Amino acid sequence: MAAAPSSPLDNWWRDAVIYQVYPRSFADGDGDGTGDLAGVRAHLPYLAELGVNAVWFTPWYLSPLVDGGYDVADYRTIDPAFGTLDDAEKLISEAAELGIRAIVDIVPNHVSDQHAWFRAALAAGPGSPERELFHFRPGRGENGELPPNDWPSQFSGATWTRVPDGEWYLHLFTPEQPDLNWAHPAVRREHEDVLRFWFERGVAGVRIDSAALLAKHPDLPDFEEGVDPHPYIDQDEIHDIYRAWRAIADEYGGVFVGEVWLPDSERFARYLRPDELHTAFNFNFLACPWEADRLRGTIDDTLAEHAPVGAPATWVLCNHDVTRTVTRYGRADSGFDFAAKAFGTPADLALGTRRARAAALLTLALPGSVYVYQGEELGLPEGDIPLDRIQDPMHFRSGGRDPGRDGCRIPLPWAAEESHYGFGPGAAPWLPQPADWARYAVDRQRTDPESMLTLYRTALRLRRTEPGFGDGPMTWLPTEEGVLAFARTDGLLCVVNLSGRPAALPPHERLLLASGSLDAQGQLPSDTAVWLRA
Ligand code: TEU
């Protein structure tokens, strides 16, 4: 099936609401305890009813699942745990019939150690052309017993592993994820083919994993704290790769969203130049604590950094790597930082939920596109995983300090009264679901006017029908301290109270939606947001 040619004026991605599906944990169609594409297909009506414009699928390719599928053994095969290529094609076209576009996840920085290329490289030995596709080097020290350089990992622990013939290979993540050598033309060619493969199957977009890490300094020099440029983050050569990718995407009308973690806004914006990526995740916003001044500053910085390159901003509150929003916002430190993750951090979930509801209205009113991670619309908190059930390599590589990312990847609760909350018809889910999750189940929330799901559905419906939302200008309104208020076009106002006191609402004609009740004086309570028509 070839992708329908889309007109250059079809800018759906500039203000889309994109729902992130983590297939392993969305819904289990065949009853083996692992979510799959059959499960997603069965729940497409749910996504249509929720009102999202697109779905981003985290990797569904053949994989040993050492890093949840971010260790890809073959990009042209669906992992049998998830289904078949035929299932993926059906899913893409059935979603399209419901007006939902598909975005796949490409992981160009590394492959699985089970990928044919890496197996061939190991077999072929030192000096072989097969090894040139990766970063193989002799070790340092008298007998080559020391790693070739001192690069820090993205996952703590070592970045080099020694193979039996004495050479070492580079892996910024786990040893099962060897880094590709992007200076090699075959690596570029292969990924360009993979992009075509998926665009040919009708996907509308591609999420690019670890997008700032691909290019390495050719000498692989030691890392020196504070010395620019960093030897493997944001090397200038990377932009050439994305220019070539953009030309391919343009042939199909496809779009990119880059996973670019870069605090420097000028460097970040380079990825969004008109001949590179269309969008990138806004991690500064995701990491920002629930504080009015800091949020406002982040919003202003975001809009300012996107403006010169003409790219729309994205607004992200959580994903499959970070602590779930209601838990994070219920903590004393409501920002997000991988390095600060610890077991047993207390969280007030009622407070976090109130704030997450307000944050939903804030993000959905801002100019640009919005990502919703599965379960965010249910208000799921981060789950505690018993130590002996943890699977995430980030936990093990931290020496057990970091609880890892499984707590935000727990299989979804669909039906309060069914076994495994309706996640699947058979075996227990691959990660245990908390005992008190019936309250979050979709079937309980669907008919509850106060539920998080109802709030999301209502907000998404309004966002679709109100042309003032989405792409376009916004203007801050003067407010009391700790209150964020801004106007969009068409008289739409969004007010969020992050102060400790009730706040007066600006003059308005109608209240369109509120994340919680107003008080008896008609004022906006703390941690509550409203959409108004002025
Ligand atoms: O995440 C990238 C990633 O983990 C780093 O960007 C890291 O989070 C950051 O630099 C802070 O250290 C992606 C995927 O989202 C994640 O699930 C994968 O595990 C990872 O890549 C490896 O493919």
Side-chain angles (χ1 to χ4, degrees):
M1 179 183 57
S6 80
S7 96
L9 295 175
D10 185 5
N11 283 339
W12 66 272
W13 48 275
R14 294 189 68 90
D15 55 11
V17 176
I18 299 162
Y19 186 90
Q20 179 188 355
V21 166
Y22 193 78
R24 202 178 183 185
S25 301
F26 185 74
D28 174 13
D30 64 5
D32 66 354
T34 292
D36 47 39
L37 303 191
V40 184
R41 286 172 65 194
H43 288 289
L44 281 174
Y46 168 79
L47 296 176
E49 194 179 80
L50 181 59
V52 301
N53 308 106
V55 174
W56 149 35
F57 297 98
T58 59
W60 55 21
Y61 321 103
L62 185 70
S63 167
L65 297 177
V66 169
D67 185 20
Y70 284 93
D71 45 323
V72 180
D74 181 357
Y75 275 109
R76 297 174 182 82
T77 306
I78 302 294
D79 195 274
F82 299 144
T84 63
L85 189 55
D86 184 53
D87 293 332
E89 290 177 348
K90 288 198 175 106
L91 171 52
I92 294 165
S93 61
E94 288 164 5
E97 279 162 30
L98 295 172
I100 300 172
R101 298 170 203 257
I103 296 175
V104 292
D105 202 327
I106 298 290
V107 191
N109 181 69
H110 44 268
V111 289
S112 161
D113 64 347
Q114 299 307 308
H115 190 283
W117 279 8
F118 193 72
R119 292 161 68 122
L122 282 187
S128 62
E130 287 85 348
R131 286 209 174 176
E132 286 171 18
L133 300 173
F134 298 90
H135 298 284
F136 277 91
R137 292 286 187 284
R140 295 199 283 203
E142 218 167 296
N143 302 304
E145 72 283 6
L146 299 172
N149 70 24
D150 67 354
W151 285 2
S153 171
Q154 293 293 297
F155 267 9
S156 61
T159 48
W160 291 90
T161 291
R162 197 173 195 191
V163 300
D165 58 48
E167 278 204 322
W168 298 73
Y169 68 89
L170 175 72
H171 51 86
L172 295 183
F173 296 90
T174 71
E176 292 85 4
Q177 294 165 294
D179 278 49
L180 287 166
N181 172 14
W182 273 89
H184 198 297
V187 170
R188 294 186 55 154
R189 250 193 334 265
E190 166 65 3
H191 281 82
E192 292 170 10
D193 268 13
V194 167
L195 290 177
R196 289 184 189 284
F197 181 89
W198 286 103
F199 283 137
E200 290 286 342
R201 275 159 187 77
V203 308
V206 172
R207 180 244 187 207
I208 307 170
D209 186 72
S210 301
L213 307 183
L214 279 49
K216 273 72 181 182
H217 189 297
D219 305 332
L220 309 185
D222 275 344
F223 171 75
E224 287 176 73
E225 189 74 48
V227 170
D228 276 341
H230 189 287
Y232 72 72
I233 298 177
D234 190 35
Q235 290 267 306
D236 283 337
E237 288 67 29
I238 215 158
H239 297 285
D240 191 42
I241 297 168
Y242 294 136
R243 279 188 207 102
W245 285 28
R246 177 61 179 258
I248 294 168
D250 284 347
E251 287 176 38
Y252 295 90
V255 301
F256 293 119
V257 54
E259 191 206 13
V260 182
W261 290 83
L262 284 182
D264 181 315
S265 39
E266 192 272 327
R267 300 289 308 185
F268 175 86
R270 290 182 189 210
Y271 290 77
L272 300 176
R273 289 177 288 199
D275 58 347
E276 298 191 40
L277 309 184
H278 303 72
T279 55
F281 295 117
N282 187 348
F283 291 118
N284 291 341
F285 183 76
L286 178 152
C288 186
W290 185 249
E291 291 166 27
D293 290 350
R294 301 207 28 202
L295 279 169
R296 182 174 169 155
T298 306
I299 292 166
D300 283 340
D301 289 349
T302 299
L303 297 175
E305 78 199 17
H306 285 74
V309 284
T314 67
W315 308 100
V316 194
L317 292 171
C318 67
N319 65 31
H320 66 294
D321 291 334
V322 308
T323 308
R324 282 210 178 261
T325 319
V326 303
T327 301
R328 176 164 69 86
Y329 282 156
R331 290 177 172 169
D333 177 357
S334 55
F336 178 77
D337 180 0
F338 281 105
K341 287 185 74 181
F343 284 95
T345 311
D348 174 344
L349 293 185
L351 176 69
T353 302
R354 239 185 7 257
R355 290 176 171 176
R357 291 174 65 89
L361 295 199
L362 168 64
T363 52
L364 288 165
L366 289 167
S369 63
V370 177
Y371 284 81
V372 179
Y373 173 48
Q374 67 179 43
E376 191 177 346
E377 82 283 18
L378 303 177
L380 293 185
E382 186 83 359
D384 285 326
I385 309 291
L387 272 185
D388 62 343
R389 298 291 303 275
I390 293 184
Q391 306 229 3
D392 183 18
M394 242 177 152
H395 165 71
F396 301 107
R397 286 174 61 88
S398 74
R401 172 199 62 79
D402 177 346
R405 301 164 295 177
D406 294 330
C408 67
R409 300 173 175 182
I410 296 174
L412 293 190
W414 292 94
E417 306 302 329
E418 286 175 29
S419 58
H420 319 312
Y421 309 118
F423 172 66
W430 70 282
L431 282 176
Q433 296 164 302
D436 63 346
W437 268 27
R439 72 170 93 161
Y440 298 110
V442 170
D443 65 350
R444 288 252 172 110
Q445 296 203 34
R446 181 173 266 144
T447 49
D448 174 0
E450 309 286 309
S451 73
M452 187 72 96
L453 180 58
T454 300
L455 179 74
Y456 266 89
R457 272 180 18 202
T458 313
L460 263 55
R461 196 181 58 236
L462 276 167
R463 198 176 188 276
R464 268 197 313 279
T465 51
E466 290 290 345
F469 285 134
D471 209 15
M474 68 170 272
T475 320
W476 291 110
L477 305 176
T479 56
E480 300 158 41
E481 204 180 313
V483 178
L484 298 177
F486 56 94
R488 304 298 316 270
T489 53
D490 281 350
L492 293 170
L493 306 181
C494 176
V495 186
V496 192
N497 184 3
L498 295 95
S499 79
R501 317 161 297 280
L505 291 178
H508 59 279
E509 189 177 285
R510 205 151 67 84
L511 187 142
L512 298 175
L513 184 60
S515 70
S517 314
L518 301 186
D519 68 14
Q521 286 72 45
Q523 295 201 310
L524 187 64
S526 316
D527 299 316
T528 308
V530 283
W531 288 355
L532 306 171
R533 161 97 56 218

